[in-house]
Amino acid sequence: HFPLQAKVADIEQFRGKYRVGYAEIQRRRFAKMKRLGLVKPELVLPKNNLQEKWNKLSEAGKDTADLKMATYAAQVKCLDEGIGRIIEKLKSTRQLDRTLILFLSDNGGEATEVKPVKGANAIPGDRHNWTSYGESWATASNTPYRKFKMYVHEGGTRTPLIVHWPDRFPQHRLENQPGHITDIFPTLMAVAGASYPAQSATGEATIPLEGRSLLPIWEGKKRTKPFEKGWEHEGNRAYRQGDWKLVSTYASKKWELYDLKKDPVEIHDLSAENPAKLEEMKGLYQKWAAHVGVEEREVVRSSKK
């Protein structure tokens, strides 16, 4: 999220690396994803104006943009070193191979242009800072997906999950079956051989679990039931059933429909071509929204005279 704060020495290690601009950083990351097999070779990026935005910056603006991303990179470096210390401790105590480690990132880059709060400054990296790295860097961070944090297009919902458990899963592999954060608890119960109680300690009936164990996926099996999940965040709505995804933004309220198997970056809206599927997905969303208690938001538009 924000603010951007890191150690000066860490920030300096990354200064200048981002002066190539938003679009070039995105291009390099996208190319590396293809080399690593993280995305299909034929995938293309959604259109954006990153190069135009970079070209409009003054030299001072480009330097500030570089500082913002350098600070963000320094934060990630610090996080990586902290995880490294945990790993080394597990190694030294001979517990690493039998320890299940799950690592996942937050949902999308923070695109909000944050203004300094009272008593803070606008200098990225400083401990008194209260700024973010903005929409352009968030777009580059979310490569190749659309949108960012707060939205429920893939850029605001998709996150990688790294699973490390050598005693159980010694082989490295890439798995593309989707899961959800609500699957973590059922997974840990399955790992521990525990069962979900029907009643709480006070005798009240427990709320049924929403998720399903990820263990079958980790074991290389295919889930028998297609992935199905709804989202709502600040009026942004979505529902996924298998490879179909229904999504809309708070501002427009227009429903879009995508086939994520063919179009994982949500470029081709199929709502007009598939009206029956659109209505089916809208019904599934409304059923889910009623189940979890979503409060519909009205769009409030201001007029300037």
Side-chain angles (χ1 to χ4, degrees):
H1 290 235
F2 50 84
L4 294 172
Q5 297 176 348
K7 303 168 188 175
V8 174
D10 288 344
I11 296 172
E12 287 305 310
Q13 293 182 42
F14 298 97
R15 279 294 258 147
K17 293 183 181 294
Y18 300 99
R19 286 287 304 215
V20 294
Y22 311 128
E24 178 60 18
I25 291 297
Q26 184 182 56
R27 187 198 66 78
R28 293 178 184 180
R29 292 183 176 183
F30 192 44
K32 186 173 183 179
M33 287 177 178
K34 289 187 175 183
R35 290 198 303 272
L36 294 173
L38 298 177
V39 297
K40 294 180 179 179
E42 65 271 19
L43 195 68
V44 297
L45 286 170
K47 292 182 180 180
N48 60 56
N49 59 351
L50 291 184
Q51 190 59 57
E52 180 183 351
K53 286 185 175 180
W54 184 259
N55 292 341
K56 288 182 177 180
L57 291 177
S58 64
E59 287 304 307
K62 290 176 180 178
D63 188 64
T64 298
D66 173 77
L67 175 58
K68 286 184 175 183
M69 197 61 189
T71 304
Y72 189 86
Q75 291 178 238
V76 174
K77 173 182 178 289
C78 190
L79 169 69
D80 190 48
E81 290 173 345
I83 294 171
R85 288 192 290 272
I86 296 172
I87 298 297
E88 288 304 315
K89 188 64 176 180
L90 289 171
K91 282 182 179 179
S92 68
T93 54
R94 298 184 179 181
Q95 298 182 82
L96 180 61
D97 287 357
R98 64 187 182 92
T99 300
L100 170 61
I101 300 174
L102 306 181
F103 179 86
L104 69 159
S105 69
D106 196 11
N107 56 310
E110 176 58 73
T112 306
E113 296 286 353
V114 183
K115 296 180 179 180
V117 296
K118 186 177 181 180
N121 62 47
I123 304 172
D126 188 274
R127 67 188 182 94
H128 299 295
N129 154 268
W130 194 262
T131 57
S132 62
Y133 69 173
E135 184 175 313
S136 295
W137 282 133
T139 301
S141 291
N142 285 345
T143 303
Y145 303 108
R146 284 181 59 199
K147 297 294 185 180
F148 8 76
K149 193 183 304 297
M150 182 179 77
Y151 294 96
V152 288
H153 284 73
E154 290 295 275
T157 60
R158 183 181 283 253
T159 179
L161 169 65
I162 299 172
V163 179
H164 185 267
W165 195 6
D167 276 2
R168 186 76 178 268
F169 309 114
Q171 300 298 320
H172 293 179
R173 65 185 179 86
L174 181 65
E175 178 57 67
N176 288 316
Q177 291 186 74
H180 191 265
I181 192 70
T182 54
D183 295 334
I184 299 296
F185 185 35
T187 303
L188 297 181
M189 286 200 305
V191 168
S195 57
Y196 188 67
Q199 293 182 328
S200 68
T202 58
E204 298 174 293
T206 53
I207 298 173
L209 286 175
E210 293 286 336
R212 295 182 289 157
S213 173
L214 296 168
L215 269 180
I217 296 179
W218 299 350
E219 292 168 346
K221 302 172 186 176
K222 294 292 182 183
R223 276 183 162 174
T224 55
K225 184 181 178 182
F227 178 79
E228 194 160 343
K229 189 65 64 176
W231 293 267
E232 189 279 336
H233 185 52
E234 297 191 30
N236 300 301
R237 304 169 294 167
Y239 196 87
R240 179 168 175 173
Q241 180 193 55
D243 293 318
W244 286 104
K245 184 176 179 184
L246 179 78
V247 61
S248 78
T249 61
Y250 170 59
S252 73
K253 293 289 185 180
K254 178 184 179 298
W255 285 111
E256 303 163 12
L257 183 67
Y258 299 99
D259 181 347
L260 295 182
K261 185 174 182 179
K262 298 177 181 178
D263 180 23
V265 294
E266 300 167 307
I267 295 177
H268 307 292
D269 179 7
L270 302 175
S271 58
E273 301 171 33
N274 297 269
K277 189 64 182 179
L278 177 68
E279 291 305 312
E280 177 192 348
M281 295 291 287
K282 285 166 65 176
L284 289 172
Y285 172 82
Q286 293 299 338
K287 182 179 179 180
W288 170 83
H291 169 65
V292 299
V294 171
E295 294 184 5
E296 293 293 334
R297 300 180 181 220
E298 294 296 326
V299 176
V300 179
R301 303 187 185 278
S302 61
S303 60
K304 295 180 178 180
K305 296 182 179 180

